[in-house]
Amino acid sequence: MQIADKIDALGLLCPLPVLKLRKRIKALKPGDVIELKADDPAAVVDVPHFCSETGHTLIDTLEETEFMLFRVQKAD
């Protein structure tokens, strides 16, 4: 899977990780994948909610020791 863009939102609290995701995903083409790295505990709820509200696809969520990694595919 090719990642079109990456966001490092470490240290940012709700709602900033999702706001960054919302802004950056607009510049992508439909089908592109963006990766968001966040350590805000609320992101595990906020990112899936954002995807369901906007029609984007949450491909996966990887939980690392210090952060979570979300891969989101832009809707067509």
Side-chain angles (χ1 to χ4, degrees):
M1 166 183 351
Q2 186 166 343
I3 307 299
D5 197 0
K6 295 182 180 185
I7 301 170
D8 182 347
L10 296 178
L12 300 179
L13 297 177
C14 177
L16 293 176
V18 169
L19 291 177
K20 283 185 166 287
L21 177 59
R22 179 187 311 270
K23 181 178 180 180
R24 298 272 283 277
I25 205 167
K26 286 181 182 179
L28 302 181
K29 295 178 291 198
D32 280 353
V33 176
I34 188 166
E35 196 172 79
L36 171 67
K37 185 190 292 188
D39 56 1
D40 176 18
V44 76
V45 173
D46 292 346
V47 174
H49 179 72
F50 167 75
C51 290
S52 68
E53 291 293 312
T54 57
H56 303 306
T57 302
L58 179 59
I59 297 173
D60 58 17
T61 303
L62 304 171
E63 292 192 35
E64 302 292 335
T65 307
E66 310 253 334
F67 60 88
M68 291 167 289
L69 196 62
F70 303 92
R71 291 190 186 118
V72 177
Q73 185 175 36
K74 184 171 180 172
D76 292 332

